[in-house]
Amino acid sequence: MLSSLDQWIGRLLSEPRSTDGPRGEVRAVESLPATSAAAWKVSAPLGKRLANAARPYPFIVPKLVFFAGFMLIPLAWTVYMTFQGGAILQGTHFVGTKNYQVMLQDPLFWLSLRNSVLYAVLVIPLAMAGGVFLATLLNRRIKLRPVFLLILVVPAVVSTVAAAYIWSNMLATDGGFFNTLLQALGRHPVNWLGTPSLLIPIFVALELWRGTGFYAMLFLAAMHNIPQELYDAIAIDGAGSFQSFRLVTLPLMRPVILFATVMATIWNLQIFDSPYVMTRGGPGYASMTIVMYIYYNAFKYDAMGLASAMSLVLLLLILAAAALQLTIFKKEVQF
Amino acid sequence: MVARSAGRREPAGIPRRAASAAKDVFTYAGLIAACIISLAPLVYLLATSLTKTFSPVADLSVLLHPNFSNYGEIWSAYPFAAWLKNSLIVATSVTVLSLFVDSLAGYAFAKMRFRGREFLFLVLLATIMIPVPVTLLPTYLIADHFGMLDTYQALIVPALAYPVGVFLMRQFIRTIPDELLDAARVDGMSAWGIYLRIILPLSIPGLAVLALFVFLTQWVSLLWPLTVAISDSTRTVQAGLASLPGQYNTQYGLITAATICSVLPMLVVFLFLQRYLTAGLTGGRAGKG
């Protein structure tokens, strides 16, 4: 009896056990009557109690310092700057909502926003569908699975800058891969990067080439974790492979697909690298994206307030898209 | 994992077997087509880099009589060695520091109880949604204020604010049994001792996934290096390549050789840590596939 109390106190003096169970559940304390817990609290020396309370902080403080300095403070600063006019060097002054008004009347803002959204709306469903499709193929009983997987994932380690150069090469008007192919088929060569309507589809194709294999790898990992019993059960009920895919695989993969969709939305709405390398936003401003326009406003046009306002619009857009995806996925769960 | 589809087989008549064979053909055809799409641009890239020409080539026969002179020239044509060195220093530093800072915080969030833990974690997690441009300008001004522009510090320090690593490490450290930590505590081990001798060794697969993720993210990062790495003394490979003025874009042989050299280090790291990635993604069950 005494020894168990001793052990219990020893445990309390070191840090409390984590509560992995439901929130608020305190396993260590529950194992003893409440009165003795209260009695200990009163009798423990104040210094010891403080040392105990301070123990987690050396572990989280380093992260929190960087997080506050380079995430929270910049975020607040950006919100503040949306109400400021003037340039960095000349000093700034309060201008009310003028930046927002200028932004809303700026046709280039709308064009670049449209380009980014159009790109994301095209890339995300295609990448997810492609990833699920390839994962399904890889999940079948096949030989050389690791080799196939490796080859499919390799483009994901190619940076977008490198990928943009690769594709610029293949899309070159004179002697590029695609035009050589077209000419072999007896067609006229196309000025790929000079045709505004082709640019977004080109960026989409580039990203699908780069990203689909990565999503396939992610989804394949999730498929491995689906219990075989579920497939056995539904096979007994006479379901074919398409049925078992629709009724078992897809519903059980919903969380990972949702996760991938949300992350892909965050990344892809920030498209910058491929248009920056391939077209610098041109011809004219045809392939300007919202991140590139923010970058130009902040560092080339010296319009900090405007850039800040636009970056907040991008943040709101990402939050709205994520909320929308969560709602849709939740709704689909309850059929 | 091979056993999966084997278990689904049942005594089947000939039509079934034929259907299954058709499915196999479809599976392999699909995968091979996908692999060709995956590799073709890279092969094309390689072919172009092995040609001494100012126009791109669609002729793969150059692979039979390669000309490696481009790979010799990129070092003098661009400050490529400096870029490569900068990228290596920055990506390695951020990776090592992130592993340390994030595993510390991940340990606290996974295994310690303190006031505001859930709230703090939620705040961290929510900021994953904040796009880079939102913090870009203030971070630049902060770097400027501390005289960090065009230094390695400017490239390294802000990257440590990114919250994903804490989330990853917390998820991983949660799977370490509490009993193990309790036993160590009873033996009189301090929280730091537990971190060094139990948490870190048992988190190696998680740390490997994080290392791969951070290194890759840093290696391919463009927007921030483009903003703060002003001269070639700090410019990374991506920022360097992306800043090449248009006149270089027609030197296809040179630029493709440089592109390949920028991809190779990443490929090496990926091949080296890849088995951990599969293990990490399947929830710690390693060694399959």
Side-chain angles (χ1 to χ4, degrees):
Chain A
M1 177 66 199
L2 254 181
S3 72
S4 77
L5 186 69
D6 204 26
Q7 228 174 42
W8 174 75
I9 289 176
R11 189 181 289 168
L12 258 189
L13 286 181
S14 55
E15 39 323 308
R17 291 168 54 135
S18 76
T19 53
D20 266 344
R23 251 215 272 173
E25 181 199 10
V26 188
R27 298 207 308 248
V29 176
E30 266 173 4
S31 58
L32 272 168
T35 46
S36 72
W40 175 79
K41 259 197 170 153
V42 173
S43 63
L46 181 67
K48 200 136 219 181
R49 260 192 288 158
L50 279 180
N52 212 22
R55 194 160 284 162
Y57 295 109
F59 290 87
I60 48 171
V61 159
K63 186 71 193 183
L64 291 186
V65 167
F66 293 120
F67 182 69
F70 295 102
M71 190 68 89
L72 294 184
I73 291 173
L75 176 64
W77 197 343
T78 292
V79 175
Y80 166 79
M81 271 200 296
T82 62
F83 302 108
Q84 298 288 309
I88 305 175
L89 296 175
Q90 281 81 35
T92 57
H93 53 274
F94 181 76
V95 293
T97 59
K98 186 162 162 271
N99 285 320
Y100 290 97
Q101 290 164 16
V102 171
M103 174 184 78
L104 292 176
Q105 283 162 7
D106 180 355
L108 254 182
F109 162 72
W110 291 107
L111 175 68
S112 55
L113 196 64
R114 170 197 158 271
N115 280 342
S116 292
V117 170
L118 179 65
Y119 165 81
V121 165
L122 287 173
V123 148
I124 295 163
L126 288 173
M128 294 304 133
V132 170
F133 176 70
L134 289 178
T136 315
L137 295 187
L138 287 165
N139 197 35
R140 300 199 57 210
R141 201 160 52 102
I142 54 165
K143 292 185 177 115
L144 297 175
R145 179 186 291 119
V147 178
F148 281 126
L149 186 58
L150 189 65
I151 292 176
L152 292 176
V153 175
V154 159
V157 302
V158 175
S159 68
T160 311
V161 173
Y165 275 118
I166 298 174
W167 282 68
S168 293
N169 249 331
M170 295 199 300
L171 293 164
T173 315
D174 295 320
F177 173 79
F178 288 106
N179 275 349
T180 311
L181 202 68
L182 280 181
Q183 279 166 323
L185 295 172
R187 302 286 193 85
H188 287 294
V190 174
N191 182 6
W192 298 95
L193 295 177
T195 312
S197 62
L198 290 178
L199 292 170
I200 298 295
I202 285 170
F203 302 143
V204 169
L206 185 153
E207 183 55 29
L208 288 177
W209 171 71
R210 228 175 67 82
T212 309
F214 173 78
Y215 294 116
M217 180 178 70
L218 190 70
F219 295 150
L220 180 66
M223 280 182 190
H224 280 318
N225 289 342
I226 299 176
Q228 178 60 35
E229 293 78 43
L230 290 175
Y231 290 106
D232 294 342
I234 203 165
I236 290 171
D237 290 345
S241 54
F242 178 72
Q243 289 265 314
S244 70
F245 175 77
R246 198 176 66 87
L247 295 172
V248 176
T249 314
L250 267 191
L252 285 174
M253 284 188 36
R254 188 156 280 143
V256 70
I257 296 178
L258 172 65
F259 168 77
T261 307
V262 172
M263 292 313 286
T265 307
I266 298 170
W267 292 328
N268 284 306
L269 278 175
Q270 298 185 54
I271 175 178
F272 170 79
D273 302 12
S274 43
Y276 184 78
V277 172
M278 293 170 90
T279 62
R280 287 284 197 277
Y285 296 100
S287 60
M288 185 69 88
T289 68
I290 187 69
V291 171
M292 199 190 297
Y293 196 44
I294 292 170
Y295 176 75
Y296 281 161
N297 270 299
F299 297 105
K300 294 224 159 36
Y301 310 155
D302 224 357
M304 305 182 347
L306 202 56
S308 302
M310 289 177 192
S311 70
L312 280 194
V313 169
L314 178 63
L315 173 61
L316 290 179
L317 195 66
I318 287 173
L319 292 178
L324 183 73
Q325 286 156 359
L326 284 168
T327 325
I328 291 174
F329 271 75
K330 269 217 183 98
K331 218 180 246 167
E332 280 187 4
V333 171
Q334 315 158 335
F335 47 58
Chain B
M1 68 197 187
V2 179
R4 144 117 352 122
S5 9
R8 217 178 324 175
R9 267 201 308 187
E10 55 216 79
I14 289 158
R16 257 246 147 132
R17 217 172 280 161
S20 160
K23 242 191 222 169
D24 277 351
V25 170
F26 177 75
T27 303
Y28 283 111
L31 284 176
I32 290 169
C35 285
I36 290 174
I37 295 174
S38 197
L39 285 182
L42 295 174
V43 174
Y44 183 74
L45 175 75
L46 187 68
T48 311
S49 78
L50 295 173
T51 323
K52 198 74 216 139
T53 171
F54 282 82
S55 72
V57 281
D59 184 4
L60 292 183
S61 67
V62 294
L63 289 172
L64 298 175
H65 40 87
N67 179 341
F68 286 97
S69 64
N70 291 321
Y71 287 89
E73 274 175 41
I74 50 172
W75 311 97
S76 53
Y78 326 120
F80 197 72
W83 296 346
L84 215 53
K85 187 189 85 185
N86 296 335
S87 274
L88 277 175
I89 289 174
V90 170
T92 310
S93 308
V94 174
T95 305
V96 171
L97 291 170
S98 294
L99 287 184
F100 179 61
V101 169
D102 290 347
S103 63
L104 278 182
Y107 172 35
F109 279 113
K111 294 294 184 188
M112 296 177 186
R113 266 184 325 120
F114 51 90
R115 190 187 277 265
R117 185 181 76 166
E118 307 297 323
F119 175 72
L120 214 57
F121 188 69
L122 254 166
V123 171
L124 268 169
L125 203 57
T127 56
I128 289 178
M129 303 228 185
I130 297 180
V132 181
V134 169
T135 52
L136 191 71
L137 193 51
T139 312
Y140 174 86
L141 295 176
I142 291 171
D144 186 27
H145 179 80
F146 289 106
M148 296 200 313
L149 286 188
D150 211 20
T151 64
Y152 287 138
Q153 288 95 303
L155 290 164
I156 294 167
V157 179
L160 300 177
Y162 200 58
V164 165
V166 175
F167 177 70
L168 228 141
M169 289 319 297
R170 171 182 174 267
Q171 295 305 95
F172 204 88
I173 292 171
R174 273 163 78 116
T175 63
I176 297 173
D178 282 345
E179 288 69 27
L180 216 58
L181 310 190
D182 290 340
R185 239 170 256 135
V186 170
D187 290 346
M189 210 184 259
S190 69
W192 288 97
I194 291 174
Y195 167 75
L196 285 174
R197 281 188 243 154
I198 298 178
I199 300 287
L200 279 188
L202 289 179
S203 309
I204 285 175
L207 290 167
V209 173
L210 182 59
L212 182 62
F213 174 78
V214 174
F215 194 92
L216 198 136
T217 312
Q218 285 305 310
W219 190 267
V220 305
S221 161
L222 174 63
L223 190 52
W224 181 240
L226 208 55
T227 308
V228 286
I230 300 155
S231 75
D232 285 321
S233 62
T234 58
R235 198 170 273 161
T236 60
V237 171
Q238 311 302 334
L241 284 179
S243 314
L244 289 180
Q247 75 210 43
Y248 288 100
N249 292 359
T250 50
Q251 299 182 354
Y252 291 100
L254 272 183
I255 206 141
T256 46
T259 306
I260 285 184
C261 288
S262 81
V263 171
L264 279 182
M266 205 48 252
L267 206 60
V268 171
V269 172
F270 176 74
L271 290 176
F272 194 64
L273 294 177
Q274 184 232 6
R275 64 198 177 95
Y276 289 108
L277 188 64
T278 330
L281 288 174
T282 45
R285 263 163 290 176
K288 303 195 287 183

